[in-house]
Amino acid sequence: MLHGEVQVPGAKNSVLKLMAATLLAEGEFRLTNVPDIADVSTMCELLEALGMSTQRLNAHELLLINTGNITPVAPFELVDRIRASINLLGPLLGKYGHVDIAMPGGDNFGSRPIDLHVAGLEAMGAVFDLDRAGVKATATHLHGAEITLKFQSVGATENILMAATLADGVTTIENAAREPEIGDLCDMLNKMGANIVGVGTDKLTITGVSPSTLHAVTHEVINDRVQAATYIAAVAVVGGDVFVRGARAKHMEMLLNRYAEMGVSITPHADGLRVVVTDRLRSIDFATLPYPGIATDYKPLLVGMLSIASGTGIGTENLYPGRFRYVDELQKLGADIRINGHHAVIRGVEQLVGASVNAPDIRAGAALVVAGLVASGETVINDIHHIDRGYDDLVGKLVSLGALVTRRP
Ligand code: EPU
């Protein structure tokens, strides 16, 4: 049983974009509630390679200084480490009119195209030179455009948004992604002097401002809904009574409804969620969708939970058809899961059994840790550098709740 309180850290998928946005204005930016994760360090290295200076003031505060002396060419070795390096595209084009970066790396769940980023920025006047190795683009005059995304892409919405902030005239993005992290980016950009309306909706209207209007700011990163979901999942599989401080029900409503259907009692408070679980979980069916749907990042956790629930559940992946690589690892723990196209059919078993498994990516790695909490005997998780990319002291936080987890050097 897990007991006590856990603090949800700042969101990886917000802070990396906020860091990219500091390229848009000169001055000293201070970000607070920054998660202490490897991807933030990589993004610091990337920004420094471009000409910025970065400094961790403490574990959760970051100072980023942009003196305007930027070379918009990003080195392959760093770009290859994180997907969010694609987020340099919008601000570099918007502010410096040129960009030269390698194709971004990050988690491997199959094809991760950037056609929507390119089409949106081309509509604004950018000219691209793409090959398998990288992306080169120039924009002598970025102008407003009416852009309708054929899919609510998080990254494309963010790139267009950041480029449009300094473009000449008005840009509209229809069918924009509306994840809370995009709201956080819009809030910071508006604080910097940008003119974005429709924040939180699927239609964003950005009126370009002059570069001298934008200025550096201090901004607090929103909390990480996926890390919050992970701690709730941990209580769900092991049982217990935990206060997840900083989790916001408003950012994860659909997921919380599904958790509740599975038998997780969640009581929202002003400053977090109280999570109580006393009985075996019940199976449900779910499908991933862009926000406000069930995020694809929650899926490995849900599949792990269904592995030990009573009954059979079906999890459908609508964003990344290749995002099932962790299923083999859950099967090593005794889970009964069949993959059929983009559906996973999970028949709950009474007990998972400890084994040695490999973390294939960030979220799947965390889901394996959660599954390991409830598996009998010892579970060893290898390749934990994936987990370190997005989780801030997962082991320490679980231990503080009473879990038996150790990190081997
Ligand atoms: N897509 C296209 N063309 C594009 C862009 C996207 O077809 O130009 C498709 C993708 O192939 C995919 C879907 O659209 O099927 C979603 O992609 P999206 O652009 O929304 O995702 P992303 O910006 O690459 C972010 C998060 C992911 C998260 C997804 C979906 C960051 C750094 N990454 O990726 O987070 O899974 O949104 O919510 O913000 C993670 O944190 O572990 C992670 C993988």
Side-chain angles (χ1 to χ4, degrees):
M1 294 283 223
L2 301 182
H3 287 280
E5 178 174 314
V6 63
Q7 173 68 48
V8 178
K12 168 180 85 75
N13 289 346
S14 190
V15 71
L16 298 175
K17 325 307 171 61
L18 302 176
M19 290 172 76
T22 65
L23 287 163
L24 285 167
E26 287 162 34
E28 293 193 4
F29 290 82
R30 187 184 290 256
L31 295 178
T32 62
N33 197 33
V34 173
D36 191 3
I37 54 173
D39 275 14
V40 166
S41 307
T42 306
M43 190 54 123
C44 282
E45 285 183 62
L46 257 171
L47 292 175
E48 284 182 6
L50 295 173
M52 286 192 50
S53 86
T54 70
Q55 190 190 338
R56 271 210 187 258
L57 297 174
N58 58 52
H60 298 290
E61 253 183 77
L62 204 54
L63 178 70
L64 303 117
I65 304 173
N66 181 348
T67 59
N69 189 15
I70 300 291
T71 310
V73 181
F76 168 80
E77 186 270 317
L78 294 170
V79 172
D80 190 45
R81 275 198 241 156
I82 54 172
R83 177 72 187 169
S85 45
I86 193 66
N87 279 102
L88 301 172
L89 202 56
L92 286 177
L93 265 182
K95 172 88 172 161
Y96 304 98
H98 178 68
V99 62
D100 181 350
I101 62 171
M103 274 296 174
D107 292 322
N108 176 9
F109 355 97
S111 158
R112 296 181 78 177
I114 59 161
D115 55 311
L116 302 175
H117 303 238
V118 171
L121 295 166
E122 277 180 344
M124 297 172 68
V127 177
F128 277 81
D129 174 7
L130 289 170
D131 60 31
R132 283 173 50 180
V135 184
K136 288 196 182 95
T138 46
T140 43
H141 173 227
L142 272 190
H143 53 77
E146 289 180 8
I147 297 165
T148 302
L149 294 177
K150 68 172 189 246
F151 185 87
Q152 291 182 311
S153 157
V154 172
T157 302
E158 291 164 340
N159 262 331
I160 296 166
L161 193 58
M162 287 195 266
T165 292
L166 287 177
D168 193 8
V170 179
T171 300
T172 52
I173 314 175
E174 301 262 11
N175 200 30
R178 49 196 172 116
E179 271 69 1
E181 295 75 28
I182 294 176
D184 201 21
L185 175 62
C186 290
D187 287 346
M188 185 172 110
L189 290 169
N190 278 340
K191 231 193 272 178
M192 288 166 62
N195 182 347
I196 303 167
V197 298
V199 179
T201 74
D202 62 2
K203 180 174 179 185
L204 295 170
T205 304
I206 308 110
T207 305
V209 297
S210 73
S212 60
T213 311
L214 289 189
H215 51 85
V217 293
T218 293
H219 187 81
E220 182 180 344
V221 180
I222 58 163
N223 285 344
D224 193 324
R225 59 200 165 99
V226 192
Q227 292 198 56
T230 305
Y231 293 107
I232 301 173
V235 185
V237 297
V238 181
D241 183 345
V242 169
F243 188 67
V244 185
R245 186 171 292 282
R248 293 183 63 180
K250 194 169 145 269
H251 288 172
M252 44 200 309
E253 260 171 39
M254 207 84 89
L255 177 75
L256 296 185
N257 290 340
R258 308 326 297 280
Y259 276 174
E261 282 170 40
M262 295 178 80
V264 182
S265 157
I266 299 174
T267 314
H269 292 256
D271 49 355
L273 302 173
R274 181 173 172 206
V275 181
V276 180
V277 179
T278 48
D279 296 316
R280 186 177 181 194
L281 299 173
R282 296 183 291 273
S283 287
I284 54 155
D285 296 337
F286 73 92
T288 63
L289 282 172
Y291 192 83
I294 308 265
T296 173
D297 293 345
Y298 298 140
K299 193 188 55 176
L301 293 169
L302 284 163
V303 172
M305 289 162 73
L306 290 171
S307 296
I308 49 135
S310 64
T312 298
I314 299 177
T316 301
E317 172 62 55
N318 288 315
L319 279 92
Y320 298 107
R323 201 169 184 176
F324 278 115
R325 289 166 70 222
Y326 58 94
V327 164
D328 291 348
E329 307 304 310
L330 284 170
Q331 284 166 338
K332 288 182 195 163
L333 299 177
D336 180 351
I337 305 170
R338 237 172 344 103
I339 301 297
N340 188 351
H342 60 139
H343 308 288
V345 181
I346 308 112
R347 195 191 306 258
V349 296
E350 293 275 344
Q351 178 72 63
L352 295 177
V353 181
S356 175
V357 294
N358 301 316
D361 62 61
I362 306 172
R363 311 301 175 190
L368 288 168
V369 174
V370 169
L373 296 179
V374 71
S376 64
E378 192 177 84
T379 301
V380 176
I381 294 147
N382 304 296
D383 293 339
I384 59 169
H385 59 275
H386 288 294
I387 303 175
D388 291 339
R389 286 189 45 211
Y391 280 83
D392 186 331
D393 194 20
L394 180 62
V395 171
K397 284 183 163 44
L398 288 172
V399 167
S400 76
L401 298 176
L404 292 176
V405 195
T406 46
R407 189 185 169 101
R408 288 189 185 153

